[in-house]
Amino acid sequence: MAFTDLGDVRLFHTDDGSGDTTLLLVHGLGSDSHEWVHHIPSLAEHYRVIAVDVRGHGHSSAPESGNVPAQMADDLALLCAALGVESCVAIGHSMGGQIVSHLAVEYPSLIKALVTVDPGYGFAGAMTRAFSTIVERMREDTLAVCLRNDEWTHTAATPEWLREWHRRRILATPPHVLLQAFEAMFGGPDALGLRPNSDEYLSRRTCPVLTFWFDPVQAAWEADLFKDPHSKAVTWEGSGHRLHEERPGEFLIVVTNWLRSLP
């Protein structure tokens, strides 16, 4: 079935392929599991691939509260149990990077390895001071601010269709979900998106981690937090925030080669 009821939320997901390893694909804020359409067919040739719309997004239900990464991670742990998944490799983009990191820390027996794609954590300096202002502006006009924020995710090389696809996904996401999730990620004293909170929490991930960044400074920062020797930080300078969608073929090669290298 494409939907699973988990009490206060109903999650849409697809379940393709088979194999000894299960991949759990987790999208970013204001997106949905269609983010992975370029990747699922190839991955499903060798792995079981579960791609999910997290609460408040896509075809999943949108509760009035609880639309935050930590709760989304709890949802996914319940979903895995319902689908008979005892261990998996979790792959998360942006906010999905926070979600899968919560899974790795809070449910370590479930997560065999992580792949994070320009993840939504580790911000420092002037950017952290700007987040509180963004949250306040989102309270006044959530969709307008989210659309404006999305402009930084693109480069001159980002295809126009990809920009339009994500603009429409943002417009399709309930404003209260966008606000709750963004504020939880970046707006509070315990927000995982901000250093030093992210340093302490991410240091608790003991599994192998493959991370992709377009910023070499961020990649070097996260590499210092790795605990498993098979972990790796990859930098694709010149890419946009959605580098896995801009360069899906290369992304798949790097991910699958790394997965094959794990013991």
Side-chain angles (χ1 to χ4, degrees):
M1 295 182 64
F3 291 90
T4 296
D5 288 308
L6 300 174
D8 71 325
V9 70
R10 184 172 185 250
L11 296 186
F12 170 79
H13 53 85
T14 54
D15 191 342
D16 298 287
S18 62
D20 295 334
T21 299
T22 297
L23 307 183
L24 176 66
L25 309 185
V26 186
H27 61 81
L29 177 64
S31 185
D32 61 33
S33 57
H34 284 83
E35 191 172 299
W36 305 103
V37 296
H38 298 288
H39 314 93
I40 292 172
S42 178
L43 293 173
E45 292 179 5
H46 305 285
Y47 305 98
R48 181 183 180 186
V49 182
I50 298 170
V52 60
D53 292 354
V54 300
R55 64 165 56 208
H57 293 72
H59 296 295
S60 293
S61 62
E64 288 304 311
S65 61
N67 300 290
V68 298
Q71 181 59 58
M72 293 168 183
D74 290 343
D75 293 341
L76 297 187
L78 290 173
L79 177 65
C80 285
L83 298 178
V85 176
E86 296 182 355
S87 71
C88 65
V89 175
I91 303 177
H93 168 245
S94 193
M95 179 181 73
Q98 279 205 20
I99 295 170
V100 299
S101 292
H102 280 297
L103 283 172
V105 172
E106 308 301 337
Y107 303 91
S109 63
L110 175 62
I111 303 302
K112 178 180 178 181
L114 288 185
V115 179
T116 64
V117 186
D118 209 48
Y121 50 61
F123 290 94
M127 180 65 76
T128 64
R129 295 187 290 274
F131 282 133
S132 59
T133 300
I134 293 173
V135 170
E136 290 305 313
R137 291 175 178 170
M138 286 179 70
R139 294 186 189 282
E140 299 172 3
D141 192 338
T142 302
L143 288 175
V145 174
C146 286
L147 290 171
R148 192 158 54 246
N149 288 346
D150 196 59
E151 294 175 4
W152 76 267
T153 68
H154 308 137
T155 72
T158 303
E160 286 296 330
W161 70 262
L162 185 58
R163 302 182 190 208
E164 178 62 15
W165 193 95
H166 280 283
R167 184 186 75 87
R168 292 173 61 82
R169 297 317 307 148
I170 291 169
L171 290 171
T173 307
H176 75 280
V177 172
L178 295 168
L179 177 59
Q180 287 175 25
F182 189 90
E183 185 169 16
M185 291 172 69
F186 303 115
D190 300 321
L192 182 54
L194 309 178
R195 301 189 207 175
N197 299 338
S198 46
D199 299 65
E200 188 280 328
Y201 193 82
L202 297 177
S203 295
R204 295 163 58 189
R205 302 179 304 185
T206 58
C207 65
V209 179
L210 171 65
T211 187
F212 290 82
W213 293 90
F214 67 76
D215 184 344
V217 175
Q218 291 292 95
W221 160 77
E222 186 171 7
D224 284 340
L225 303 177
F226 292 153
K227 291 295 185 290
D228 188 280
H230 298 92
S231 297
K232 182 178 181 180
V234 175
T235 304
W236 283 358
E237 292 188 69
S239 295
H241 179 54
R242 301 183 178 100
L243 53 88
H244 62 309
E245 293 178 273
E246 293 180 355
R247 300 162 63 178
E250 294 169 82
F251 177 79
L252 285 168
I253 290 171
V254 176
V255 170
T256 55
N257 284 345
W258 182 72
L259 290 175
R260 293 188 189 108
S261 75
L262 297 179

